[in-house]
Amino acid sequence: MTASVTDGTPLLRQYQEIKSRHRDKILFFRMGDFYEMFFDDAEVAARLLNITLTARGDGVPLAGVPVKAAADYLRQLVAAGHRVAICEQVEDPKKAKGIVRREVVETVTPGALLEEDWLPGGRNNFLVALHPGDRHRPDGPAGLAAIDLSTGEFLLETTPRARIDEALGRLAPAEVVTVADALTATDVMQTLRDAWEFDAELASEELTRRFGLASLDGLGIEADDGPAVGASGALLRYLSELQPGGIAHLGRPTIRRSDRYLWLDEMTRRNLELVEPLRAGTKGVTLLETLDATMTPMGARLLRQWILSPLRDGAEINRRLDAVASGVRLPNARADAREALDGVRDLERLAGRAAAGRANPRELGALRDSFKRLPRIAAALAGLTPPGSAATHPFASLSAELDLLEDLTTELEAALEDRPPVNPADGGVIRAGFDTELDESRELRDGGKQYIASIQQRERERTGIASLKIGYNKVFGYFIEVTRTHSARIPPDYERRQTLATAERYVTPELKQYEAKVLGAEERMVAREAELFGALRSQVGAAIARIQRSAAVLAHLDVWTGLAELAVPYRYSPPTVDQGF
């Protein structure tokens, strides 16, 4: 069922105007504590989510989900192959003149997920743009650009046209962006874009502007990389539509070519059981399962990438082997490193959520607790660097790259409670003593509640009604409740507020006065705590590049020490790498 933008109430017209710009998506339209869906969206959502389909008074189909439970419903819709546009109230309803202003702040698709719980920690969730290259050059290059929105990783890859499917199989994208005549056989969601969006010259301008570069030379871009550069432009343009607030955590693109990596076709990957078993559901048979002793999600993702993209360069291979050998020769330092890594959370994805303004208090707490392990990791890195080693030794290089993030650790430690809640609205996010204004509001609130308790005791003594009690609800505020059997004892200054079946509820001037103080303090406290948490999250998000560098250090340390840990009991020996073939 559809309708024109002139139909219905002002609210429905607002909905229809926004929906007209997002016709291919289910629109989550924020109305107070619910996301509402109308017309066809409501019917689709009711069927897929098993929620009630109802109708407005004008007969328009309607279905809704609570904001607090929206994540689970979103997950189901995206898993079913739908895009979901999140339309929020972007002004305070109390201050709005007429209809509250609303805007789409994010579109959720399989390739644009930020929720850590939705994603497997050991593998990337790539959104890939594919430029098929020049159809008149069958042997010419094609290009791919891949972004993992959850971690900020950005890859460019140049591959022969005939090996496009092989490249897609290796990246295992959750979603593919391409031009209409380049549809692939992949069974993931495909998003079609106009051919001009894949223009390499436009993309070059976008990349240099976004990353503050004079040219693309610093990225190692070569002449044949035009299709990959063009694909990056289409991908960035698409992501800017999905994330209108920007992608602050996106790292500089890394170019990958077949002269550095050994590309493995799907048959090879499958028959060698590199990351997936030949028989679905079989455990313990893949190379990844055999070699994966990583302690962190970052390390697990890096190991998977290495297995799927083996190196060609002998010097780089030997560098990795040297790192593993150091881990084997220095067991105490290796054990220290693994103990320090144990418990480190997914720094890349948590920091990405902070940069996107999405991290909750508990996630910032997880970052703080992970940062507190960095000094121990630095000590372990020093222990893994053999005495007299050059600065180019793998672990020495990692030591030089590691940022201890001491300023962030100190601020998070001072600001956050030991166990902050998931929802900032629940309170208990900011420690006592961190902010004077917040402490004063809390003291006034708590003191007011204590005073109301003292009012209850005095009123019991004044009236002689031992069962008299003071209660509170959101509709009537604070009240004195007296059962009807004591009606004769009610003082003249009691003002009736509500009549119940067996009791009456009253207020007094004194109770009204203190209610105003307590509730005012509560509102100020909630607002101030939200303000402090938002500033703290922004501070973490602004340090995203530093966090990503340290996360990369931890990932390499994790993989190398994990391989060393396996090498000892299984008596693995390093191969001799010969570049002379």
Side-chain angles (χ1 to χ4, degrees), residues 296-330:
T296 69
M298 299 88 71
R301 290 193 293 270
L302 181 63
L303 179 61
R304 182 185 178 89
Q305 289 179 13
W306 282 2
I307 288 174
L308 289 173
S309 303
L311 291 172
R312 284 179 175 270
D313 184 78
E316 289 189 68
I317 294 171
N318 280 321
R319 176 178 169 79
R320 290 181 182 176
L321 293 174
D322 288 344
V324 177
S326 289
V328 170
R329 289 194 300 267
L330 299 165

Side-chain angles (χ1 to χ4, degrees), residues 258-272:
S258 57
D259 60 349
R260 184 182 179 195
Y261 298 98
L262 179 63
W263 297 144
L264 306 174
D265 60 39
E266 181 182 0
M267 186 67 71
T268 302
R269 293 194 305 270
R270 189 166 180 270
N271 287 339
L272 292 178

Side-chain angles (χ1 to χ4, degrees), residues 167-189:
L168 288 173
R170 183 175 58 256
L171 291 168
E175 182 179 352
V176 174
V177 176
T178 189
V179 291
D181 60 354
L183 287 173
T184 70
T186 181
D187 57 358
V188 302
M189 177 182 285

